Amino acid sequence: MNTRTTRTLAAGLSLTAALAISGCSSDGGDSGGKPKLSISGAYMPQPVNDQMAGAFMVVKNDSKTADKLTGVTSPLSDDLQIHETKDQKMQQVQSLEVPANGELRLERGGNHVMFMGLKSTPKVGDKVTVELRFEKADPVKVELDVKERTYNAHTDGNAH
Ligand code: CU
């Protein structure tokens, strides 16, 4: 009777320990954890007026977990959209894939973030803060450098 109680207790304890370990690695661990995202080359071509502006950047994913860009906010506008370009026409989408061990490129003529209506019109040299929201990763704050209208980070294909 006595030894049996002890064994049951021991089994119960090791089960608790196993649960604690797996619970721990699921938030922030290397495997099955949140994707590790980094943003580079974020810019906004100087807007022509206060009606709209585009934002471009590269979102790099250095993890085995794919993620999705699901939304963008900014103090500069109450309406930011995620656009893709199909047949030279842009259209709003709900999200864009950030592939595992890959990158999501937001660039002219392709996928981009679009400000619909601006509270002010930024000039070259200004910085515009945006917050990117992802399905899995934590939100990321990014500063967009406002560049000349003709600026294109990827024209020479050798930016990195
Ligand atoms: Cu657009």
Side-chain angles (χ1 to χ4, degrees):
M1 184 66 180
N2 228 348
T3 49
R4 204 167 151 197
T5 313
T6 313
R7 257 186 224 138
T8 314
L9 188 64
L13 279 175
S14 66
L15 181 63
T16 312
L19 282 175
I21 289 164
S22 67
C24 195
S25 67
S26 73
D27 49 353
D30 295 291
S31 56
K34 283 184 181 171
K36 292 186 178 60
L37 305 179
S38 55
I39 318 295
S40 61
Y43 73 98
M44 167 192 280
Q46 181 179 305
V48 179
N49 52 38
D50 63 359
Q51 299 302 300
M52 61 171 66
F56 308 95
M57 69 196 77
V58 177
V59 181
K60 199 163 182 281
N61 185 353
D62 280 317
S63 71
K64 295 182 280 190
T65 311
D67 207 342
K68 275 179 185 170
L69 175 67
T70 55
V72 188
T73 56
S74 171
L76 185 63
S77 173
D78 291 328
D79 186 9
L80 271 78
Q81 300 182 354
I82 303 170
H83 283 180
E84 65 175 14
T85 308
K86 282 233 168 108
D87 302 325
Q88 302 189 347
K89 273 190 192 162
M90 55 185 193
Q91 61 188 49
Q92 191 178 6
V93 292
Q94 289 312 303
S95 65
L96 287 172
E97 191 90 12
V98 188
N101 292 310
E103 58 189 27
L104 166 66
R105 301 181 83 91
L106 303 177
E107 52 195 345
R108 287 174 181 271
N111 300 323
H112 57 277
V113 168
M114 188 143 249
F115 292 68
M116 312 299 285
L118 308 173
K119 293 176 184 173
S120 64
T121 310
K123 299 271 183 292
V124 173
D126 287 351
K127 295 203 184 286
V128 175
T129 305
V130 293
E131 186 172 279
L132 309 177
R133 289 167 197 279
F134 298 94
E135 188 179 70
K136 295 180 187 132
D138 292 329
V140 182
K141 274 214 168 84
V142 180
E143 295 231 300
L144 304 169
D145 288 321
V146 180
K147 303 282 196 183
E148 314 77 65
R149 256 159 232 165
T150 52
Y151 181 82
N152 191 338
H154 304 300
T155 359
D156 61 5
N158 221 347
H160 308 290

